[in-house]
């Protein structure tokens, strides 16, 4: 293991070597010094018996835990923190696609910071005073738009933040990109105000509704999965699945009811479905899916570890997310098959089309995008079961009696899911980050759906199912 020295303060196109991967030096007085993971609530150490199996998502070095939202080594953790705290602006002397590895990561600071942001490191989790102790303890990466990444890399974002706080006073720590908003839902990660004119009215919606190619404004939806393909992780190696992971995943899958949905959807040929009938059908489907979630809880391998109060709090806060996740994955053939056939027999009026809200338009776009992403990933039952457990075990929900216990359970299934994907899909090194970055999008969409008027839900589902079924038939 090479020994690295901390870089000197200031910018530049090259960097002095960094602290050794383990153990890191104790924090010194002053700002932006590396802190040990055990003293920093925003970092989570990897258990010793599993540490050798983890690699940093930035450079491929041995990872020491979850740092600012992603699995990384101490070197990349410290580099990211110093870069954000000191508002560094780097330059790449090549073409901004330098390879990141343990030995080459110091050659280009620009590409290293760029990959930190692309892989989901959360800059809002760093305390503004640079001292140990993160501001955001939520587990998992964050997604930001390509425009915001460019503003950070160019230094424009730092200037805008300085102007904002000078005009508005202290931060309330609920700005976009902070991961979780006041309503326990991930905050929007890109400004959507620029779409208000484009999406206002019947024309933009009709273009999506009739199945034409995606309009230009679609590109402004955050691209959660645009990871760099030219800087892969370590080459895949043959490995076995940890016995404990295998056992817990089997228990999670056994807890699921994977049988086809029982809600009848038989419609006579030529019958025209009304708005009220389609709404009633959606309610029956939601009831069946919710009942399955309640039955699922009682079969969880950790059911006896949590209190009834916490289970009630978790279910009341996440049931919409669980239903949405299951509808887009294990029940997708039923939802995007039988239900799509029913919605095709429903014809919205011109008034319904004109009154379709901005919230409905945004939810429609994000649902279509997420469906295509899940369809591309072809999520297995094992991955779905892990993602569902991780999303359910959300320690940031208010009113929990034992948030620390939930955090430990969340970490357990986070590592189990990573263990499984690395074992099952060794040639897809970005698969696990891709899966995890779907969860904040699920939460955001579920939170936005609450604001869609109930009478617009039939039209929303018709538009989403029609578009997804049309795009699916072309693939």
């Amino acid at each position: 293991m090479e020994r690295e020295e901390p870089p000197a303060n200031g910018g530049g196109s090259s960097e002095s070597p960094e602290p050794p991967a383990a153990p890191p030096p104790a924090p010194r007085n002053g700002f932006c010094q590396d802190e040990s993971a055990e003293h920093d609530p925003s970092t989570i150490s990897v258990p010793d018996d599993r540490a050798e199996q983890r690699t940093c998502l930035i450079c491929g070095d041995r990872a020491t835990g979850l740092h600012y939202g992603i699995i990384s080594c101490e070197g990349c953790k410290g580099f990211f923190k110093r870069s954000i705290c000191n508002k560094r602006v780097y330059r790449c002397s090549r073409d901004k696609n330098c390879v990141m590895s343990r030995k080459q990561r110091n050659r280009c600071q620009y590409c290293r910071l760029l990959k930190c942001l692309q892989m989901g490191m959360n800059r809002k989790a760093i305390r503004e005073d640079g001292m140990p102790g993160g501001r955001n303890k939520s587990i998992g990466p964050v997604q930001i738009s390509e425009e915001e990444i460019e503003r950070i890399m160019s230094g424009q974002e730092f200037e805008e933040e300085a102007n904002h706080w000078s005009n508005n006073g202290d931060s309330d720590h609920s700005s976009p990109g902070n991961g979780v908003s006041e309503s326990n839902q991930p905050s929007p990660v890109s400004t959507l105000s620029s779409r208000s004119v484009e999406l206002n009215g019947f024309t933009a919606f009709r273009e999506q509704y009739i199945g034409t190619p995606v309009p230009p404004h679609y590109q402004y939806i955050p691209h959660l999965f645009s990871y760099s393909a030219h800087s892969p992780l370590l080459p895949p190696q043959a490995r076995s699945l940890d016995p404990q992971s295998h056992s817990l995943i089997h228990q999670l899958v056994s807890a699921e009811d994977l049988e086809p949905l029982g809600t009848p959807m038989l419609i006579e040929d030529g019958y025209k479905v009304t708005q009220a009938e389609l709404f009633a059908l959606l309610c029956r489907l939601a009831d069946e899916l919710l009942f399955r979630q309640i039955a699922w809880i009682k079969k969880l391998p950790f059911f006896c570890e949590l209190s009834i109060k916490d289970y009630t709090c978790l279910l009341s806060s996440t049931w919409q997310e669980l239903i949405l996740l299951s509808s887009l994955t294990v029940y997708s053939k039923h939802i995007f098959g039988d239900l799509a056939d029913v919605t095709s027999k429903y014809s919205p009026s011109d008034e319904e089309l004109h009154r379709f809200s901005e919230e409905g338009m945004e939810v429609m776009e994000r649902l279509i995008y997420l469906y295509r992403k899940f369809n591309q990933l072809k999520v297995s039952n094992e991955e779905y079961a892990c993602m569902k457990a991780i999303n359910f075990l959300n320690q940031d929900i208010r009113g929990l009696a034992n948030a620390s216990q939930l955090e430990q359970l969340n970490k357990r299934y986070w590592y189990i899911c990573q263990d499984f994907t690395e074992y099952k899909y060794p040639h897809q090194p970005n698969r696990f980050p891709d899966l995890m970055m779907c969860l904040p999008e699920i939460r955001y969409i579920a939170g936005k759906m609450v604001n869609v008027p109930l009478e617009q839900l039939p039209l929303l589902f018709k538009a989403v199912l029609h578009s997804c079924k049309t795009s699916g038939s072309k693939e």
Side-chain angles (χ1 to χ4, degrees):
M1 177 74 69
E2 62 179 4
R3 182 172 180 83
E4 303 176 343
E5 298 297 333
N9 290 336
S13 61
S14 62
E15 180 188 5
S16 301
E18 300 174 276
R28 299 185 292 272
N29 292 332
F31 294 163
C32 302
Q33 301 295 338
D34 280 350
E35 70 274 19
S36 173
E38 63 181 354
H39 294 114
D40 188 349
S42 68
T43 64
I44 301 171
S45 298
V46 179
D48 291 338
D49 58 341
R50 305 287 298 283
E52 294 303 323
Q53 299 180 18
R54 310 296 166 193
T55 57
C56 174
L57 294 179
I58 307 302
C59 68
D61 198 1
R62 183 178 68 83
T64 57
L66 284 169
H67 305 308
Y68 307 125
I70 73 169
I71 294 174
S72 65
C73 63
E74 289 293 321
C76 290
K77 180 193 86 172
F79 167 80
F80 181 71
K81 180 173 183 178
R82 289 191 299 276
S83 299
I84 298 301
C85 285
N86 293 338
K87 299 178 173 56
R88 302 272 181 85
V89 178
Y90 304 122
R91 289 178 175 80
C92 178
S93 60
R94 301 172 184 83
D95 51 358
K96 299 182 181 180
N97 64 347
C98 301
V99 174
M100 285 296 110
S101 66
R102 185 177 67 84
K103 294 183 178 181
Q104 295 177 296
R105 64 192 181 194
N106 294 326
R107 295 183 180 179
C108 183
Q109 294 169 303
Y110 180 98
C111 291
R112 191 178 187 185
L113 179 58
L114 178 63
K115 189 167 185 183
C116 288
L117 294 170
Q118 289 176 334
M119 296 304 289
M121 270 195 167
N122 185 0
R123 65 191 183 90
K124 297 295 183 180
I126 301 173
R127 281 180 45 164
E128 292 174 347
D129 58 7
M131 296 301 287
R135 285 166 41 185
N136 189 341
K137 299 179 183 179
S138 60
I139 296 178
V142 296
Q143 71 277 18
I144 60 177
S145 65
E146 294 178 356
E147 291 87 347
E148 186 173 356
I149 290 178
E150 178 59 31
R151 290 199 303 271
I152 295 171
M153 299 303 298
S154 64
Q156 179 183 352
E157 185 77 7
F158 298 134
E159 296 175 359
E160 292 175 355
E161 287 179 350
N163 294 333
H164 175 75
W165 301 132
S166 63
N167 295 330
N168 297 281
D170 293 335
S171 167
D172 63 357
H173 294 177
S174 60
S175 58
N178 204 26
V180 179
S181 66
E182 290 294 322
S183 61
N184 290 327
Q185 302 292 346
S187 303
V189 295
S190 65
T191 303
L192 296 172
S193 59
S194 62
R195 300 191 300 109
S196 58
V197 177
E198 299 175 63
L199 300 181
N200 185 26
F202 171 73
T203 304
F205 176 76
R206 177 172 171 78
E207 291 176 354
Q208 181 68 48
Y209 169 70
I210 63 176
T212 55
V214 178
H217 61 253
Y218 190 78
Q219 62 183 311
Y220 295 109
I221 295 179
H223 293 279
L224 312 183
F225 311 93
S226 56
Y227 295 112
S228 176
H230 46 256
S231 54
L233 302 179
L234 295 178
Q237 298 177 352
R239 49 165 294 187
S240 59
L241 181 63
D242 183 273
Q244 184 182 13
S245 297
H246 184 275
S247 175
L248 288 173
I249 287 178
H250 177 73
Q251 293 178 55
L252 283 181
V253 175
S254 299
E256 293 289 342
D257 183 354
L258 299 176
E259 292 296 319
L261 298 174
T263 301
M265 298 187 191
L266 297 177
I267 303 295
E268 295 180 1
D269 292 338
Y271 184 81
K272 297 297 182 181
V273 178
T274 66
Q275 181 190 51
E277 289 172 333
L278 181 53
F279 182 77
L281 174 60
L282 294 174
C283 289
R284 288 197 298 272
L285 269 174
D287 286 343
E288 180 180 355
L289 289 168
L290 178 58
F291 179 81
R292 293 195 178 196
Q293 309 317 312
I294 297 172
W296 167 73
I297 288 176
K298 299 176 182 179
K299 300 176 184 177
L300 289 171
F302 50 84
F303 178 71
C304 297
E305 299 182 41
L306 298 177
S307 65
I308 296 299
K309 176 185 176 181
D310 279 353
Y311 274 118
T312 303
C313 186
L314 289 172
L315 182 61
S316 63
S317 299
T318 64
W319 67 269
Q320 293 167 305
E321 302 160 14
L322 300 179
I323 287 178
L324 184 56
L325 177 60
S326 62
S327 298
L328 291 169
T329 52
V330 293
Y331 302 132
S332 62
K333 290 184 178 180
H334 196 69
I335 299 295
F336 293 92
D338 295 345
L339 182 58
D341 291 339
V342 175
T343 59
S344 67
K345 296 178 173 61
Y346 159 63
S347 299
S349 65
D350 289 342
E351 182 182 2
E352 291 175 71
L353 291 172
H354 282 290
R355 294 178 62 184
F356 196 67
S357 65
E358 181 75 11
E359 288 84 3
M361 189 70 70
E362 182 185 357
V363 169
M364 177 191 73
E365 287 188 327
R366 288 179 178 265
L367 280 173
I368 294 171
Y369 178 80
L370 201 53
Y371 167 81
R372 290 171 177 169
K373 186 51 60 178
F374 277 128
N375 194 45
Q376 172 190 341
L377 289 170
K378 294 180 172 56
V379 181
S380 66
N381 291 343
E382 292 85 356
E383 291 169 323
Y384 159 73
C386 290
M387 293 176 69
K388 188 176 173 184
I390 292 169
N391 189 84
F392 178 69
L393 295 167
N394 182 1
Q395 74 274 10
D396 292 317
I397 293 173
R398 291 189 181 92
L400 294 170
N402 198 338
S404 60
Q405 184 182 18
L406 281 169
E407 183 177 358
Q408 293 303 315
L409 285 170
N410 190 303
K411 285 193 293 181
R412 176 193 301 173
Y413 289 99
W414 174 280
Y415 291 130
I416 286 172
C417 187
Q418 185 189 21
D419 198 27
F420 177 82
T421 55
E422 290 178 353
Y423 160 74
K424 191 72 173 179
Y425 306 95
H427 297 285
Q428 300 181 35
N430 285 335
R431 185 176 181 85
F432 176 68
D434 283 357
L435 292 172
M436 290 299 101
M437 291 194 74
C438 290
L439 295 183
E441 186 73 356
I442 286 281
R443 291 182 181 180
Y444 180 72
I445 294 173
K448 275 291 183 180
M449 287 188 72
V450 177
N451 300 323
V452 178
L454 293 178
E455 65 272 13
Q456 294 182 11
L457 290 179
L459 178 54
L460 171 64
F461 275 83
K462 177 180 177 66
V464 171
L465 297 179
H466 174 80
S467 179
C468 293
K469 190 171 184 178
T470 302
S471 63
S473 62
K474 295 178 181 179
E475 294 176 355

